[in-house]
Amino acid sequence: MSGLNETHDPSLTSWVESIGSSDFPIQNLPFGIFRRKASDEGFRGGVAIGDQIVDLQAVVAKSLLTGTALEAATAASASTLNDFMALGTEYWSALRLALSRALRTGAEQEPQFRDCLVPQSDAEYTLPCTIGDFTDFFASIHHATKASGVYRPDNPLPPNYKWIPICYHGRSSSIEVSGVSVHRPSGQVRPSKDQPPHLALSERLDHELELGFYVGSGNARGESVTIDEAENHVFGVSLLNDWSARDVQAWETRPLGPFLGKNFATTVSPWVTTMEALAPYRAAFSRAADDPSPLDYLTSAANSESGAIDICLEVLLQTEKMQRDGHPPERIGISNFVDCYWTLAQLVAHHTVNGCNLVPGDLLGSGTQSGPGREESGCMLELTSGGRNPVTLSNGETRGFLEDGDTVVFRGWCEREGATRIGFGELSNTIQTAHSLRDS
C-alpha cells in the first residue's frame, strides 16, 4: 500500500497554466495511451496534467530523464502500458516522482518539457493496455441488496455474500474506451412464465457505475497473493461501465451467471490514476458488528486501518432531446467507493487464493457502486425499481431503462481536507440503434 510522499504535497503547483479546477493537478499524473486526432501517428503513452498531455515518447527521445525513471518512461511510452505495468512499484514511483519534479513551478526542465506537451483537445485515446482477462466483482452490498431485491425481495442476498467476494469472468474483447458507441444488444428473453422465450432486442438496457482496477506486476501460477501484498500488484484505477441487458440477463443467469446480457460491451475511461496518487484518500475499513468477520486470508491490520478508498462517483444522463436543446447531462446517481463491503486488497487476495495467476493489464471490476438511498443508485435497475418507478428528468422526459440516443456519463473524484482534489476524467458513451436482428 502506497504511503504519502513529496508528490502528494498540496502546496505543489505546476508551470502548466491550465490546471485550475482540472481533474489532473500535479498531485494526480494519471497514465493513458493517445495520439493526435486524424493523424497517422502511432498510439503512445502519455501523462495528463491540466488540459495537456506529457508525451512520454518525446520525453524519452529528448533524454530528459535518467536511471530508473528513464527505464520506466521508455516502457510507458510504448503503444500499450503493459510492459510499464509489469515493472512494479519501484519503477511506477520513480517515474511519478521525476515527472512531478519536472512539472513543478520553477523547475529547471520547464522549457524542455513544455516542448513535450500535447493539448488533450487535440488527442484521441485507445485502451491503456492490452487486457487479457476481465473479472467483475459484486463488492457493493447496497447494490447487491437493492438490485437482487428487484427479483428476490424476500431474500435478496445470497448466503455466501458476507463470506466471499462474489465475481464472474467477463469478456475482454468487447472492452472499449470512452467515446465509442454502444449498440443495443439482442438475446433470448422471457417476459413472463406464461410466454415462451424468444429472440428480441433488449428493452431493459442499463449502465453500471463501477471502478476498474488494472493489474500491474503479476503473480506466478500456483502462488497466492497475501492481503498485505495485494495492492502492490495493482497499478491503478479508472472508471468502468459494465453495460447490462437486464431482460436478457434475467432469463439466462441461472445457474452459471450472465452471458449475452453482459458480454456485448464494457467501457472504461482513458486515464488510469495510480494507486500511489490515491494515498491521501485512504479510509478505515469496518463492518457491522453483527456481520461475520472475514476469514483470515481476507483480514489484516493494515486493511482494517486504511483498506477503504474515499472515491466519490457520479452518473449523469443526457437524452437525445436534451442534447438537441443544448441541455447538459443531468445527475441521476451519486455514491462512494468507501462504502464498499469488500476492499480492493480483499478482492485481489481472494482472486489469487487458489493460485490463479494475474497478468499485467488484467482488469478487475468493482461491481456496481451504490449507496443505500435511491439517489445513490449506480444503475437504472435500482433507480427505477426494475422500471416500475421511472425517473423524471428536468425537461419532463422519463426513463425506466436507457433508450437509443441516450448518453451516459460517469465522473469520479477524491477530495479531502489537507489534500488536493484529483479526478478520473470522464467516461461517456452514447447508445446507438441496434444492428439488424437476426431471426431464429
Side-chain angles (χ1 to χ4, degrees):
M1 188 179 298
S2 299
L4 295 175
N5 56 48
E6 65 178 83
T7 66
H8 303 105
D9 186 347
S11 69
L12 291 180
T13 58
S14 174
W15 48 261
V16 178
E17 297 88 356
S18 61
I19 290 180
S21 59
S22 164
D23 277 354
F24 309 126
I26 194 170
Q27 290 82 1
N28 193 347
L29 303 180
F31 289 80
I33 299 293
F34 80 101
R35 69 180 178 189
R36 287 180 176 86
K37 293 176 183 176
S39 74
D40 58 359
E41 296 177 349
F43 281 103
R44 57 199 184 274
V47 172
I49 182 163
D51 63 1
Q52 302 291 311
I53 303 170
V54 180
D55 185 341
L56 293 176
Q57 201 170 84
V59 169
V60 171
K62 292 177 178 290
S63 301
L64 300 182
L65 301 174
T66 60
T68 303
L70 174 59
E71 188 174 346
T74 301
S77 68
S79 58
T80 74
L81 293 176
N82 295 74
D83 288 345
F84 175 54
M85 291 173 168
L87 290 176
T89 56
E90 176 187 354
Y91 290 84
W92 308 338
S93 186
L95 180 53
R96 174 180 164 83
L97 177 60
L99 292 174
S100 173
R101 289 174 174 173
L103 294 167
R104 295 175 194 176
T105 301
E108 293 183 1
Q109 290 181 298
E110 175 185 341
Q112 297 94 325
F113 268 83
R114 190 176 287 276
D115 290 339
C116 299
L117 297 182
V118 175
Q120 291 180 30
S121 59
D122 292 346
E124 61 182 4
Y125 304 94
T126 188
L127 292 175
C129 60
T130 299
I131 300 170
D133 280 300
F134 170 44
T135 305
D136 195 40
F137 283 88
F138 198 38
S140 167
I141 195 170
H142 301 299
H143 168 64
T145 302
K146 291 192 293 180
S148 299
V150 172
Y151 305 109
R152 301 184 300 276
D154 296 331
N155 189 25
L157 283 183
N160 60 354
Y161 188 86
K162 294 183 178 182
W163 290 95
I164 187 171
I166 298 174
C167 57
Y168 71 93
H169 283 288
R171 183 165 183 84
S172 60
S173 66
S174 52
I175 301 176
E176 297 283 358
V177 77
S178 177
V180 303
S181 297
V182 172
H183 290 272
R184 182 173 298 275
S186 59
Q188 276 198 32
V189 298
R190 189 182 187 186
S192 72
K193 294 180 180 179
D194 300 326
Q195 296 176 283
H198 64 281
L199 182 65
L201 293 174
S202 173
E203 296 180 355
R204 297 164 70 88
L205 184 57
D206 203 354
H207 62 266
E208 291 198 347
L209 177 64
E210 301 193 25
L211 290 172
F213 301 99
Y214 289 92
V215 173
S217 52
N219 59 297
R221 186 162 59 89
E223 294 182 2
S224 59
V225 175
T226 68
I227 188 169
D228 283 336
E229 286 293 321
E231 288 193 17
N232 291 334
H233 292 266
V234 179
F235 172 69
V237 187
S238 69
L239 304 173
L240 185 150
N241 190 342
D242 196 31
W243 299 82
S244 295
R246 299 297 186 186
D247 39 7
V248 177
Q249 182 181 356
W251 169 234
E252 72 182 1
T253 290
R254 295 189 178 185
L256 295 180
F259 181 45
L260 298 184
K262 286 282 194 178
N263 69 4
F264 62 96
T266 300
T267 52
V268 293
S269 53
W271 295 109
V272 183
T273 295
T274 63
M275 294 304 298
E276 186 172 0
L278 296 174
Y281 315 101
R282 306 305 299 234
F285 168 74
S286 62
R287 289 184 174 177
D290 56 349
D291 278 358
S293 298
L295 299 185
D296 287 347
Y297 78 97
L298 295 171
T299 305
S300 78
N303 187 65
S304 298
E305 181 180 346
S306 56
I309 313 174
D310 188 354
I311 302 175
C312 192
L313 297 165
E314 179 184 46
V315 56
L316 305 99
L317 178 64
Q318 184 185 48
T319 69
E320 194 170 34
K321 185 178 188 303
M322 291 169 65
Q323 188 176 37
R324 285 198 310 267
D325 295 344
H327 297 157
E330 182 174 320
R331 177 192 285 177
I332 60 171
I334 188 166
S335 60
N336 198 302
F337 185 61
V338 79
D339 294 326
C340 221
Y341 196 78
W342 296 99
T343 69
L344 171 59
Q346 288 173 323
L347 302 186
V348 175
H350 181 66
H351 201 310
T352 63
V353 71
N354 67 341
C356 173
N357 54 316
L358 297 176
V359 175
D362 283 354
L363 181 62
L364 312 182
S366 64
T368 304
Q369 294 302 297
S370 301
R374 182 172 186 258
E375 72 283 358
E376 299 169 281
S377 297
C379 61
M380 299 296 287
L381 181 69
E382 297 175 44
L383 182 64
T384 69
S385 301
R388 293 189 293 270
N389 301 303
V391 61
T392 300
L393 303 171
S394 59
N395 68 351
E397 289 184 275
T398 62
R399 289 290 185 274
F401 286 95
L402 300 172
E403 298 185 6
D404 291 352
D406 287 350
T407 298
V408 178
V409 180
F410 290 176
R411 295 173 184 158
W413 63 91
C414 300
E415 55 185 346
R416 178 172 291 182
E417 185 175 354
T420 302
R421 179 193 182 280
I422 66 172
F424 295 82
E426 191 172 272
L427 170 56
S428 176
N429 302 96
T430 301
I431 299 167
Q432 297 294 332
T433 303
H435 294 301
S436 59
L437 180 63
R438 183 186 300 273
D439 293 327
S440 63

